[in-house]
Amino acid sequence: MRALVHVTLKKDVLDPQGKAIQKASASLGYDAVKSVRQGKIFEIELDAAERQEAEAQLGELCEKLLANPVIEDYTIVSLES
Amino acid sequence: MRALVHVTLKKDVLDPQGKAIQKASASLGYDAVKSVRQGKIFEIELDAAERQEAEAQLGELCEKLLANPVIEDYTIVSLES
């Protein structure tokens, strides 16, 4: 199965990297850019017979390895066989 | 307008960070994970009257700042007003 996972900072966590990108955009002349927040995306291929099993494994993997649950949210955006 | 942009390595570019995550998954007992590729996601708020104008600005921004077009692909995944 092929999964797409988004990991983003929680809404109330500051994102200095995003802020830096917004400032860089402005200095390049793109004043229209009001805010930028950066996150990570993972394309994961995994062997799983059932969708439910794959979702459970991906959830554990996000909690343990891909995201820091204290400051980040994760979403399994898509899961295709 | 609110845009979501994905930046990922081109298919034929090696992704050592993704490989490291796949190995880490295996060492945590998740042998089902066969491959991982990592990318970036940007949530961008921008002022634009028209959708077409926003898309053009985002395209330029990706080419100049957010992605390295030599090794990375970018996609405007969504654009909502």
Side-chain angles (χ1 to χ4, degrees):
Chain A
M1 287 186 157
R2 195 178 180 78
L4 203 67
V5 176
H6 280 183
V7 175
T8 50
L9 284 170
K10 286 179 192 284
K11 286 281 166 260
D12 45 352
V13 176
L14 286 176
D15 180 2
Q17 199 171 354
K19 186 73 193 162
I21 294 168
Q22 184 266 317
K23 283 186 179 166
S25 305
S27 75
L28 283 173
Y30 298 96
D31 303 318
V33 176
K34 293 306 168 200
S35 92
V36 178
R37 286 181 75 81
Q38 191 182 346
K40 288 170 283 183
I41 180 174
F42 299 97
E43 295 170 8
I44 302 169
E45 294 260 9
L46 81 168
D47 279 346
E50 286 173 36
R51 197 184 167 81
Q52 214 171 357
E53 184 194 332
E55 279 176 358
Q57 287 222 342
L58 285 169
E60 286 178 30
L61 210 59
C62 285
E63 291 279 345
K64 289 183 189 169
L65 188 67
L66 302 181
N68 174 354
V70 178
I71 55 165
E72 291 172 324
D73 287 323
Y74 61 85
T75 317
I76 300 168
V77 181
S78 71
L79 183 59
E80 294 159 8
S81 47
Chain B
M1 288 187 158
R2 195 177 181 77
L4 203 66
V5 176
H6 281 184
V7 175
T8 50
L9 284 171
K10 287 180 192 284
K11 285 282 166 259
D12 45 352
V13 176
L14 285 176
D15 180 1
Q17 199 171 354
K19 187 71 192 162
I21 295 168
Q22 184 266 318
K23 282 186 179 168
S25 305
S27 74
L28 283 173
Y30 298 96
D31 303 318
V33 176
K34 292 306 168 201
S35 92
V36 178
R37 286 181 75 83
Q38 192 182 343
K40 288 171 283 183
I41 179 174
F42 299 97
E43 295 170 9
I44 302 169
E45 295 261 8
L46 81 169
D47 279 347
E50 287 172 36
R51 197 183 168 82
Q52 213 170 356
E53 183 194 334
E55 278 175 359
Q57 286 224 342
L58 285 169
E60 285 179 29
L61 210 59
C62 286
E63 291 278 346
K64 289 184 189 170
L65 188 68
L66 302 181
N68 174 353
V70 178
I71 55 166
E72 291 173 324
D73 287 323
Y74 61 86
T75 318
I76 300 169
V77 181
S78 71
L79 183 59
E80 293 159 8
S81 48

